[in-house]
Amino acid sequence: MKKKFNLKKKIQQFRAWRERPREVAPLSTEEHECLNCHDHYTGNFCPRCGQSAATSRFSMKVAAENFAEAYGMGERGMFRTILDLILRPGYLILDYLRGKRASYFAPFKMYFLLAAVSLLVTHGLNITGNALHDDSEYVVNEVNQERNADSAAKSSGSVTKDDAQNSFAEDYPEEYRMYSVIFSTLEKIERFAQKYPSINVLFLLMFISGNLFLFFRHSPNIPDLRYPELFISLVYIANMYTIYSIVFDFFSLTKLTILALLLTIIPLKQMSGYGWWSTILRAIVAFIIMFVLLVAFIALMVAGVGLFVKYHG
Ligand SMILES: [Zn+2]
């Protein structure tokens, strides 16, 4: 009789595997002689000098590992950590916070390595062979804007595409110049965010971290979450995002990176132990509070500029 493929059972097994903390293989009782200091010992590393019991003659593999070590990628944890960040990100974070540090690649180290790879991909190492996010379009816009502001300030009555904008520029040339500076700064920030996704997402997560802490500090899985623990978790979550954005940018599917941003809900759900809706609601409220604060800040800035121009202009 043919064995039936049971999808439901497979999914159950996958879920159980995901939640299970990483197991470390049992220690062999085999005795080793350290090739460096000739001590005899059992275990994976020499207790005197720390050299690995697996030290062997050079092969291509050993040479490649030696090379990778120079770039901080020598530890085998790297690829397993990448895989875990895709398949079980929140459970990886739980493992890490609960003390399974050596099983995983360290979060900040991983962040800088991924940021470097991401930088290469957005600057040309992708299937198009070109830098994504071309700057030339923005530069042309900026030059046009400046020209409009100048011509509007100098000659009155010139008819152009954007009459409302120009009449404002005519009546209030000082304010127009100030607002142009604010908006071009915002545009520059947006451009920066597209060119450096890893830096962008970490900034965003750090910015929202205070609000997230408010909503996740007493979760079922971690009832007494500390802020630094959340901070470390967010670095791993930023790493997860960067992995997806590298893949999307590599295939020039840059628009999909918004999907990667939505996927950050998964680790939040897994590490907190809240249900889907509870997690999503908490994240949304945290995001809205951040957004309101940001808008209030910009409004204050714009109002401040208006007042400054009114009394000093
Ligand atoms: Zn030794």
Side-chain angles (χ1 to χ4, degrees):
M1 208 175 89
K2 213 173 123 188
K3 206 182 158 202
K4 215 176 126 196
F5 178 78
N6 192 336
L7 186 68
K8 207 174 161 190
K9 204 177 160 200
K10 287 269 179 251
I11 289 174
Q12 274 172 357
Q13 280 172 348
F14 172 68
R15 286 211 171 132
W17 169 82
R18 255 186 350 180
E19 288 176 35
R20 210 178 307 133
R22 274 276 172 210
E23 276 161 39
V24 178
L27 201 59
S28 80
T29 50
E30 198 187 333
E31 188 170 294
H32 304 283
E33 184 190 337
C34 176
L35 294 177
N36 187 42
C37 55
H38 301 290
D39 267 17
H40 288 266
Y41 64 96
T42 57
N44 295 331
F45 295 94
C46 169
R48 184 189 279 182
C49 73
Q51 182 163 296
S52 171
T55 304
S56 61
R57 288 186 61 185
F58 277 101
S59 61
M60 279 311 276
K61 188 167 166 267
V62 175
E65 277 170 6
N66 205 306
F67 175 81
E69 220 164 76
Y71 293 90
M73 299 185 288
E75 291 144 78
R76 283 188 203 126
M78 176 77 164
F79 292 101
R80 198 170 64 197
T81 307
I82 288 176
L83 200 70
D84 276 15
L85 276 177
I86 293 165
L87 297 177
R88 53 189 290 278
Y91 300 115
L92 173 157
I93 291 168
L94 274 180
D95 279 3
Y96 196 76
L97 294 183
R98 286 169 178 169
K100 285 190 171 291
R101 306 283 152 81
S103 282
Y104 299 105
F105 207 78
F108 276 111
K109 200 165 153 191
M110 185 171 200
Y111 174 78
F112 287 114
L113 278 167
L114 287 171
V117 175
S118 167
L119 215 62
L120 288 175
V121 170
T122 56
H123 286 74
L125 190 79
N126 55 60
I127 52 163
T128 67
N130 295 314
L132 308 169
H133 320 304
D134 193 3
D135 272 351
S136 56
E137 191 189 319
Y138 288 102
V139 172
V140 169
N141 273 345
E142 220 160 76
V143 168
N144 279 346
Q145 252 174 31
E146 262 165 42
R147 200 178 293 151
N148 279 349
D150 280 351
S151 70
K154 272 182 215 147
S155 68
S156 52
S158 65
V159 180
T160 50
K161 276 183 245 167
D162 204 334
D163 275 345
Q165 195 184 352
N166 276 346
S167 74
F168 178 77
E170 271 168 43
D171 296 343
Y172 308 96
E174 283 297 317
E175 280 91 336
Y176 183 75
R177 206 155 296 186
M178 292 292 238
Y179 288 134
S180 300
V181 170
I182 291 175
F183 286 115
S184 78
T185 307
L186 288 177
E187 207 172 54
K188 275 191 191 118
I189 292 171
E190 190 199 343
R191 215 185 320 162
F192 180 85
Q194 284 183 345
K195 274 169 85 173
Y196 306 101
S198 55
I199 298 173
N200 173 38
V201 75
L202 193 65
F203 264 125
L204 181 73
L205 288 174
M206 290 307 134
F207 200 69
I208 205 175
S209 65
N211 297 331
L212 285 178
F213 184 60
L214 216 60
F215 291 103
F216 286 92
R217 75 208 153 115
H218 298 307
S219 67
N221 281 350
I222 319 173
D224 57 344
L225 181 72
R226 294 179 182 175
Y227 181 76
E229 291 174 332
L230 177 72
F231 192 88
I232 290 294
S233 310
L234 292 179
V235 176
Y236 266 132
I237 294 177
N239 290 344
M240 185 202 80
Y241 172 87
T242 306
I243 290 166
Y244 284 115
S245 84
I246 286 170
V247 173
F248 293 146
D249 281 342
F250 182 80
F251 291 104
S252 197
L253 301 165
T254 307
K255 294 256 185 315
L256 285 180
T257 47
I258 188 78
L259 187 77
L261 210 56
L262 293 178
L263 290 176
T264 56
I265 291 288
I266 296 172
L268 283 175
K269 190 231 169 212
Q270 292 177 347
M271 68 180 276
S272 68
Y274 286 124
W276 278 112
W277 287 113
S278 181
T279 308
I280 290 170
L281 208 68
R282 278 160 211 275
I284 286 176
V285 175
F287 191 81
I288 288 173
I289 292 176
M290 182 205 77
F291 191 74
V292 168
L293 287 177
L294 192 67
V295 169
F297 178 72
I298 291 172
L300 250 152
M301 230 165 63
V302 171
V305 168
L307 279 176
F308 180 82
V309 169
K310 198 171 174 190
Y311 291 108
H312 297 273

